Amino acid sequence: MTTLWTRVDSPVGPLLLTADPSGALTSVSVPGQKNGRTVQDDWRHEPVLFRAAEEQLAAYFAGELKEFQLEFSTAGSEFRERVWAAIDTVPYGATTTYGAIAARIGASRAAVRAVGGAIGANPLLIVRPCHRVIGADGALTGYAGGLERKVQLLTLEGIL
């Protein structure tokens, strides 16, 4: 399957966007991201395909967009997909905790670590708002894109 890609400038650094052949967004990565994607030789550069994503990201960073309306396609275990779906429900300007996500998907309190792992594996930084998940004590714990970016995003949304 061919991976399509482009790069988009943003206030948190250049974003690498990938999509499948249907045009569904498959990842949004930042430089230095833990488990982030990097362009491969067999990928096809298709900037026009990503125009809607680029426009929505620009509107988000301008404070004009609170919810992305993009088609995306991610592949994860059934557990990860449930965690990611729960993250998708966290509204702009709000936060939740790892424990609350575990409870929302019907997982035990002991599953908080697994929830954290699923959140860390989120392939759609920014678009799927894993930056809105914080520690139970309010600490800005882990973010695959780096804590400084998490702070930038939460500040943009008026949380910090």
Side-chain angles (χ1 to χ4, degrees):
M1 179 169 68
T2 302
T3 299
L4 310 173
W5 70 278
T6 196
R7 280 202 176 81
V8 174
D9 289 328
S10 85
V12 297
L15 303 176
L16 172 62
L17 281 61
T18 63
D20 64 21
S22 76
L25 197 61
T26 56
S27 73
V28 177
S29 301
V30 294
Q33 174 183 333
K34 181 182 176 188
N35 299 318
R37 300 193 79 184
T38 56
V39 177
Q40 304 298 308
D41 290 339
D42 60 339
W43 290 8
R44 197 169 73 225
H45 189 228
E46 291 285 345
V48 173
L49 179 74
F50 296 92
R51 189 146 295 134
E54 185 173 2
E55 289 170 358
Q56 288 186 40
L57 284 161
Y60 168 80
F61 285 114
E64 300 164 355
L65 181 81
K66 306 221 182 312
E67 189 174 320
F68 291 95
Q69 299 295 320
L70 297 168
E71 181 184 346
F72 53 83
S73 174
T74 54
S77 68
E78 186 265 337
F79 179 81
R80 283 184 175 180
E81 292 289 343
R82 286 189 1 240
V83 170
W84 296 341
I87 294 168
D88 288 339
T89 68
V90 181
Y92 182 97
T95 58
T96 192
T97 65
Y98 297 92
I101 294 289
R104 189 173 298 163
I105 66 167
S108 72
R109 188 84 179 120
V112 170
R113 278 190 108 89
V115 167
I119 291 170
N122 170 24
L124 294 168
L125 289 190
I126 305 164
V127 173
R128 175 173 285 140
C130 57
H131 59 277
R132 297 178 189 152
V133 182
I134 61 173
D137 62 357
L140 301 183
T141 58
Y143 184 61
L147 284 179
E148 65 287 342
R149 287 188 182 102
K150 185 170 188 162
V151 167
Q152 285 180 277
L153 296 169
L154 294 176
T155 299
L156 169 73
E157 295 187 15
I159 297 167
L160 298 179

